[in-house]
């Protein structure tokens, strides 16, 4: 009899711990700075009411370029399969070729988003439960010429308004803050962005499991695991 009491007590404690972990808030803070051609990304993670914390720093143009290149390659393998060959360069200009690769990656992700209904549904339900507590962007930009600088500033303001509208439809978003300062004398671009998102750990786990099941049914989960090798 005492053995059963210990077993039931152990299951009860495990259930309480799992339940507390599921309802515990997860806070992710992102801070990005682009200044004088250098980039710096800082990510802070907090879980279980601050018991679990993690801090990542990614800096330097080469480091960020490596991350982007890996994302591009992962999206290509996910769309075409791990045996797909590397696309040929569009021309001798490597920079232009890189931007075309990024644009092509965006098209692939958009196509996957349209076709994978189960994964899209799981991700959409999760985003509805994400609370973005802070969304702040500061940009200082100049082209060296007053007229074109004014045009670029107007385009950036339009971009911020569109992004805010799209995010408000997907997540719980507080009033976003954006500031664009023109520099009519110099050619420069300085960017600072800060965002803080909060959600429940159980909601993220549920969404991850639902997306994994949906991708497995579509035969894409194998491609994802193969692209890691």
């Amino acid at each position: 009899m005492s053995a059963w009491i210990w077993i039931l007590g152990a299951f009860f404690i495990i259930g309480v711990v799992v339940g507390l972990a599921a309802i515990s808030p997860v806070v992710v803070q992102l801070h990005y700075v682009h200044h004088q051609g250098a980039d710096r990304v800082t990510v802070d993670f907090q879980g279980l009411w601050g018991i679990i914390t993690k801090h990542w720093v990614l800096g330097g143009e080469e480091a960020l370029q490596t991350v982007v290149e890996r994302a591009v390659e992962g999206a290509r393998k996910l769309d075409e399969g791990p045996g797909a060959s590397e696309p040929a360069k569009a021309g001798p200009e490597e920079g232009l070729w890189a931007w075309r690769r990024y644009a092509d990656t965006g098209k692939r992700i958009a196509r996957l988003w349209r076709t994978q209904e189960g994964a899209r549904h799981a991700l959409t339900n999760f985003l509805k439960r994400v609370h973005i507590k802070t969304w702040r962007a500061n940009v200082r930009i100049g082209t060296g010429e007053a007229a074109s600088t004014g045009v670029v500033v107007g385009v950036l303001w339009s971009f911020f308004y569109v992004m805010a509208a799209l995010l408000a439809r997907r997540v719980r978003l507080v009033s976003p803050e954006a500031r664009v300062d023109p520099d009519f004398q110099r050619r420069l671009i300085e960017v600072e962005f800060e965002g803080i998102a909060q959600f429940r750990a159980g909601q993220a786990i549920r969404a991850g499991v639902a997306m994994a099941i949906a991708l497995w049914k579509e035969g894409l989960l194998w491609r994802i695991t193969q692209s890691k090798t």
Side-chain angles (χ1 to χ4, degrees):
M1 186 66 180
S2 60
W4 282 106
I5 294 177
W6 281 105
I7 294 174
L8 291 176
F11 274 107
F12 175 77
I13 294 174
I14 294 173
V16 170
V17 172
V18 173
L20 290 176
I23 65 174
S24 65
V26 175
V27 180
V28 180
Q29 181 175 357
L30 172 66
H31 186 233
Y32 169 74
V33 176
H34 175 85
H35 181 69
Q36 295 181 351
D39 300 274
R40 180 181 177 87
V41 179
T42 304
V43 180
D44 291 296
F45 173 89
Q46 291 185 1
L48 285 176
W49 296 281
I51 298 177
I52 300 176
T53 60
K54 190 66 177 179
H55 180 76
W56 294 278
V57 177
L58 181 63
E61 183 178 356
E62 295 182 356
L64 290 179
Q65 184 178 0
T66 300
V67 173
V68 174
E69 290 292 340
R70 289 179 179 177
V72 170
E73 184 67 15
R76 184 182 66 85
K77 289 185 177 181
L78 179 61
D79 189 33
E80 298 180 354
S85 59
E86 181 71 18
K89 293 186 178 182
E93 302 86 355
E94 295 185 4
L96 178 61
W97 174 73
W99 281 109
R100 288 180 178 176
R101 289 187 63 196
Y102 300 157
D104 184 63
T105 299
K107 293 178 182 179
R108 296 178 192 276
I109 294 174
R111 182 164 61 249
L112 290 171
W113 176 260
R114 291 192 303 267
T115 57
Q116 307 307 317
E117 182 177 357
R120 183 175 69 248
H121 180 71
L123 181 60
T124 301
N125 286 339
F126 169 68
L127 290 177
K128 291 179 180 178
R129 295 166 173 81
V130 175
H131 180 203
I132 297 183
K133 305 170 65 176
T134 300
W135 176 274
R136 185 182 302 112
N138 296 318
V139 177
R140 184 174 182 85
I141 190 168
T143 64
E145 199 270 328
S148 58
T149 298
V151 172
V152 172
V153 170
V155 171
L156 285 176
W157 274 118
S158 300
F159 172 77
F160 284 135
Y161 280 122
V162 171
M163 286 296 299
L166 291 176
L167 283 174
R169 293 177 56 186
R170 300 292 183 182
V171 301
R172 297 161 54 193
L173 176 65
V174 299
S175 298
E177 302 178 15
R179 179 177 177 178
V180 181
D181 295 325
D183 191 318
F184 298 108
Q185 305 298 328
R186 297 177 295 172
R187 297 182 59 182
L188 84 162
I189 176 170
E190 297 177 353
V191 180
E192 182 177 4
F193 171 79
E194 182 182 6
I196 300 177
Q198 179 175 324
F199 51 88
R200 300 288 182 183
Q203 297 168 349
I205 295 173
R206 179 182 177 184
V209 172
M211 288 186 64
I213 293 175
L215 293 174
W216 175 73
K217 290 181 178 180
E218 297 293 338
L220 289 176
L221 191 61
W222 178 81
R223 290 188 183 182
I224 295 175
T225 55
Q226 289 296 314
S227 65
K228 301 297 184 182
T229 61

